[in-house]
Amino acid sequence: TATDPGVAASAMKTLYLLRHAKSSWDNRALSDRDRPLNARGERDAPRMGEALGRRMSPMRFHVSPAERAQQTFHALCAAWPGLEVLHGTTIPALYTFDYRQVLDWITACGVVDDTLALVGHNPAFTELVCYLVNPNALDNLPTAGWVEIGLPIDRWQDIQSSQYEGELLYRLFPKMLGIEA
């Protein structure tokens, strides 16, 4: 049957979440916000960028100001063809461990694109996945872990009303990439 031109197609938004790569606790004098990546994080972040770049076009990222999140994004850029530092915007509100604050930011952010990519923190991201998909959707988003969630909403401002209506479309974790020789 033909689609009635007077009826709008159902909208779908896609939320991309990337948890920062593994951070270092070597210097206890640093504040949490200033902790850099450790050796594993420095290895995993570009590997994730390379893998994601093979399957996706570059996109704009909204990044926590925490040093480990910033370094993760920069490592993605180094390994994802076409993704450049100018594709990242530092968002102070994403330095949070509370999924409700992430939801509040998404609701107010004013993004009109059909996709939204964030680099941030746990437990906020794991809890956000469980809020949007279902309580058992994900036990833990590991460091440098990536998830894609499809949401049946027209506008990002409507995300808070879509509890348990999202679909976990894809996930990619560093351990799924195998070990490089």
Side-chain angles (χ1 to χ4, degrees):
T1 57
T3 303
D4 181 349
V7 177
S10 66
M12 179 68 98
K13 301 287 187 201
T14 306
L15 179 64
Y16 302 107
L17 301 175
L18 178 70
R19 183 178 173 197
H20 66 78
K22 191 77 174 168
S23 61
S24 173
W25 289 89
D26 289 347
N27 185 347
R28 299 283 180 177
L30 288 177
S31 71
D32 178 75
R33 187 177 171 136
D34 293 331
R35 288 189 298 112
L37 296 182
N38 70 8
R40 188 173 106 197
E42 289 174 352
R43 180 194 73 217
D44 286 347
R47 291 173 62 228
M48 289 295 291
E50 183 180 352
L52 293 169
R54 282 194 299 265
R55 67 178 290 274
M56 304 180 76
S57 298
M59 65 184 77
R60 172 152 312 283
F61 279 82
H62 298 82
V63 185
S64 161
E67 182 65 21
R68 58 195 180 274
Q70 294 287 315
Q71 288 182 350
T72 298
F73 175 69
H74 285 266
L76 280 187
C77 293
W80 184 331
L83 185 66
E84 300 173 16
V85 173
L86 60 88
H87 286 105
T89 303
T90 299
I91 305 294
L94 293 179
Y95 180 62
T96 182
F97 309 102
D98 184 338
Y99 79 96
R100 291 169 299 231
Q101 291 178 354
V102 177
L103 279 171
D104 288 345
W105 180 81
I106 293 170
T107 300
C109 72
V111 170
V112 295
D113 297 336
D114 287 337
T115 60
L116 183 60
L118 310 179
V119 180
H121 307 275
N122 255 0
F125 278 10
T126 295
E127 292 172 358
L128 182 59
V129 172
C130 293
Y131 175 88
L132 293 172
V133 179
N134 74 60
N136 302 310
L138 189 65
D139 289 333
N140 178 52
L141 182 60
T143 52
W146 171 268
V147 293
E148 301 173 11
I149 303 169
L151 296 163
I153 56 176
D154 294 321
R155 305 169 316 134
W156 288 110
Q157 294 90 329
D158 300 328
I159 192 169
Q160 295 198 33
S161 64
S162 60
Q163 184 176 13
Y164 307 147
E165 293 179 6
E167 179 183 356
L168 188 55
L169 302 173
Y170 180 78
R171 67 175 109 196
L172 182 64
F173 304 156
K175 69 180 181 181
M176 299 162 76
L177 300 176
I179 302 299
E180 292 180 345

